[in-house]
Amino acid sequence: MAGNARRPGLSVTSRALALLGAFDSTHPTLTLSELARRADLPLATAHRHVGELVAWGALVRATTGHYEVGQRIWELGLLAPLPSGLRQIAAPFLQDVYKATSVTVHFAVREDVKALYLDRISGNDAIPVVSRVGGRLPLHSTGVGKVLLAYAPDDVQVRVLGGLTRMTRYSITDPEVLEEQLRAVRREGYAYTQEEMSLGACSLAVPVRNGCGEVVAALGLIVASLDAERTRLVAALEVAANGIRRSIGARSFSQ
Amino acid sequence: MAGNARRPGLSVTSRALALLGAFDSTHPTLTLSELARRADLPLATAHRHVGELVAWGALVRATTGHYEVGQRIWELGLLAPLPSGLRQIAAPFLQDVYKATSVTVHFAVREDVKALYLDRISGNDAIPVVSRVGGRLPLHSTGVGKVLLAYAPDDVQVRVLGGLTRMTRYSITDPEVLEEQLRAVRREGYAYTQEEMSLGACSLAVPVRNGCGEVVAALGLIVASLDAERTRLVAALEVAANGIRRSIGARSFSQ
């Protein structure tokens, strides 16, 4: 079996996983040969494993002949404890914020040096944003990201501050300016951005803590400007963050 | 390799998938020995494959020593086209309905003889319901289910009508009564339930059609009673369903 594999050291399980891992948000559909290439497997090997993955429901073959991730993986993913547990607890509170504010609401956790968006609520009249549930955005240019960065371990802060990418012309790329903002986040209890990720979109965000007081997530919203409404919007976020904290209680979500 | 497996005919890929398939909504966390038993694999075989699944991120080992579905599967599942494509299109319209009505909103598709809940919006003040995103409920006892059943192929209707389970004392278990209701759904354009799935919860639902006019999903909401508000609530659902239909446009979602 190893004889026909380009990566003979790779186990069969790993080959199947390599095929699943060939899909990402920029490659949601793949032909068999694209799949084989991205998984670094010979076509015949890929074909055999893909057949089993389709039979199980991990992949589906679309009418175009392309392969896509199957619904069974979606269902299985809903059992993942961090995203789905924390997200389920937070979901009704996000709804409350949306009902009170009618603007896009974000819920994110830190994953290394990125903000991972666990949930987003957005109506048809929302300002267009670049976030995507399951997607990642930089910590320094998003409201939820600045909150998560302000409470991240030192080594994470050092790495992020060492490479501040310009996302728009308003992104903060000076580490000293950002450090001052992170101190303000810890002092004031909320973060803001002004068109630092997308032009036309500003954000406000607050920390979400667990029962032990650790910051485990961030709750934010997107507005066209930060003018008059800031106090009211931050208050709505804080009420929701406190509600989430009480619902998390002694449960063991932590970063 | 086949020598130490209880199911020697099973390929290695299938063994890895059997381990993933051991998890479901009633078994979201499993010990290694539970995993091995549910996947019908010897402990040593299970241990080896589980190690690879953990290394890839498909499973995680919790501090308790139990295994859980990993975040990477959640992320991969978000790429599945039917749930995530249709759900993403529908999501802002569900928000609009929620904002207009402040009651729990459901979005479901038919999967064989069940309603599969793709999305649910629910605030903190909602009536408790048994639905779960990714979960399935009977077609005959839910509002979205009655809509999906009314437009299902004959063979599906025959199978469902042949075995009407009593979920509460108000569930419809007489096939003739249900058939009359399904005709009313097609005539009136909406379905209702009165405590047929959960006591204290009634529902209204309308069909969601694609660009070709085929019913591809159902949009519903949960209320404490069906009295005065029915016209207003059905109108809100219909506005949203029409919006989803326009957004689906010529895309190829179908049942």
Side-chain angles (χ1 to χ4, degrees):
Chain A
M1 192 174 283
N4 69 346
R6 279 188 205 136
R7 297 154 79 183
L10 210 61
S11 75
V12 181
T13 300
S14 298
R15 278 180 219 146
L17 292 173
L19 288 164
L20 289 179
F23 294 88
D24 61 32
S25 59
T26 52
H27 302 85
T29 69
L30 295 168
T31 63
L32 182 63
S33 55
E34 288 168 339
L35 255 170
R37 193 169 59 244
R38 286 177 59 83
D40 198 14
L41 293 173
L43 200 60
T45 310
H47 183 258
R48 180 161 40 84
H49 293 306
V50 163
E52 293 187 73
L53 290 165
V54 168
W56 189 79
L59 298 182
V60 284
R61 191 160 183 270
T63 46
T64 55
H66 286 67
Y67 291 92
E68 300 173 333
V69 175
Q71 187 173 302
R72 191 157 178 192
I73 292 287
W74 173 71
E75 290 170 23
L76 195 61
L78 294 175
L79 302 176
L82 171 66
S84 59
L86 202 49
R87 193 184 162 191
Q88 272 176 31
I89 288 173
F93 295 97
L94 269 66
Q95 290 300 333
D96 294 346
V97 173
Y98 179 75
K99 208 167 127 185
T101 64
S102 299
V103 298
T104 298
V105 185
H106 282 142
F107 185 64
V109 295
R110 185 174 60 78
E111 194 184 72
D112 195 31
V113 296
K114 295 275 184 174
L116 171 66
Y117 285 74
L118 293 188
D119 208 353
R120 186 183 76 172
I121 295 179
S122 194
N124 272 316
D125 50 355
I127 299 165
V129 289
V130 293
S131 63
R132 185 179 62 78
V133 173
R136 292 172 186 72
L137 289 175
L139 294 175
H140 72 286
S141 54
T142 58
V144 289
K146 283 186 189 173
V147 165
L148 296 168
L149 185 60
Y151 295 96
D154 286 348
D155 67 297
V156 174
Q157 295 197 5
V158 167
R159 277 189 291 144
V160 171
L161 288 162
L164 297 173
T165 311
R166 185 179 302 275
M167 311 305 293
T168 73
R169 63 179 178 272
Y170 301 112
S171 301
I172 293 170
T173 53
D174 179 337
E176 287 186 21
V177 174
L178 187 61
E179 278 192 298
E180 176 48 41
Q181 287 203 353
L182 298 180
R183 280 191 291 273
V185 170
R186 290 186 292 263
R187 195 172 60 233
E188 311 285 343
Y190 73 93
Y192 63 89
T193 62
Q194 292 182 293
E195 305 190 83
E196 294 159 42
M197 186 70 221
S198 313
L199 293 179
C202 300
S203 67
L204 291 164
V206 303
V208 175
R209 296 171 189 274
N210 64 11
C212 312
E214 298 163 326
V215 173
V216 292
L219 183 65
L221 42 78
I222 304 296
V223 286
S225 85
L226 294 176
D227 298 344
E229 296 251 274
R230 191 185 300 208
T231 314
R232 182 179 79 88
L233 295 172
V234 170
L237 288 173
E238 282 174 343
V239 169
N242 286 330
I244 298 170
R245 177 184 186 154
R246 276 192 302 276
S247 292
I248 295 176
R251 295 175 64 164
S252 66
F253 298 111
S254 64
Q255 284 279 289
Chain B
M1 191 175 284
N4 70 347
R6 279 187 205 136
R7 297 157 78 183
L10 210 60
S11 75
V12 181
T13 300
S14 298
R15 278 180 218 144
L17 293 172
L19 288 165
L20 289 178
F23 294 87
D24 61 32
S25 59
T26 53
H27 302 86
T29 69
L30 294 167
T31 63
L32 182 62
S33 55
E34 287 166 341
L35 255 171
R37 193 170 58 245
R38 287 176 58 85
D40 198 14
L41 293 173
L43 200 60
T45 309
H47 183 258
R48 181 161 40 83
H49 292 307
V50 163
E52 293 187 75
L53 290 165
V54 168
W56 189 79
L59 298 182
V60 285
R61 191 159 183 271
T63 47
T64 55
H66 286 67
Y67 291 92
E68 299 172 336
V69 175
Q71 188 173 301
R72 190 155 178 192
I73 293 287
W74 174 72
E75 289 169 25
L76 196 60
L78 293 175
L79 303 176
L82 172 66
S84 58
L86 202 49
R87 194 183 162 193
Q88 273 175 31
I89 288 174
F93 295 98
L94 270 67
Q95 291 299 334
D96 294 345
V97 173
Y98 179 76
K99 207 167 127 187
T101 63
S102 298
V103 298
T104 298
V105 184
H106 282 141
F107 185 64
V109 294
R110 186 173 60 78
E111 194 183 73
D112 195 31
V113 296
K114 295 274 184 176
L116 171 66
Y117 285 74
L118 292 188
D119 208 353
R120 185 183 77 172
I121 295 180
S122 194
N124 272 316
D125 50 355
I127 299 165
V129 288
V130 293
S131 62
R132 186 179 63 77
V133 174
R136 291 173 187 73
L137 289 176
L139 293 175
H140 72 286
S141 54
T142 58
V144 288
K146 282 185 189 174
V147 166
L148 296 167
L149 185 60
Y151 294 97
D154 286 348
D155 67 297
V156 174
Q157 295 199 5
V158 167
R159 276 189 291 146
V160 170
L161 288 161
L164 297 173
T165 312
R166 186 180 300 278
M167 311 304 293
T168 73
R169 62 179 178 272
Y170 301 111
S171 301
I172 293 168
T173 53
D174 179 336
E176 285 186 23
V177 174
L178 188 60
E179 279 194 297
E180 176 48 43
Q181 286 202 355
L182 298 180
R183 280 192 291 271
V185 170
R186 291 186 291 264
R187 197 171 59 236
E188 311 285 343
Y190 75 93
Y192 64 89
T193 61
Q194 293 183 290
E195 305 189 84
E196 294 160 42
M197 185 71 221
S198 314
L199 294 179
C202 301
S203 67
L204 290 165
V206 303
V208 175
R209 296 172 190 272
N210 65 10
C212 313
E214 297 165 327
V215 174
V216 293
L219 184 65
L221 42 77
I222 304 295
V223 286
S225 84
L226 293 178
D227 298 344
E229 294 253 272
R230 191 185 300 206
T231 315
R232 183 179 76 89
L233 294 172
V234 169
L237 289 173
E238 283 174 344
V239 169
N242 285 330
I244 297 170
R245 177 184 185 152
R246 275 191 304 275
S247 292
I248 294 175
R251 295 175 64 163
S252 67
F253 297 112
S254 64
Q255 285 277 291

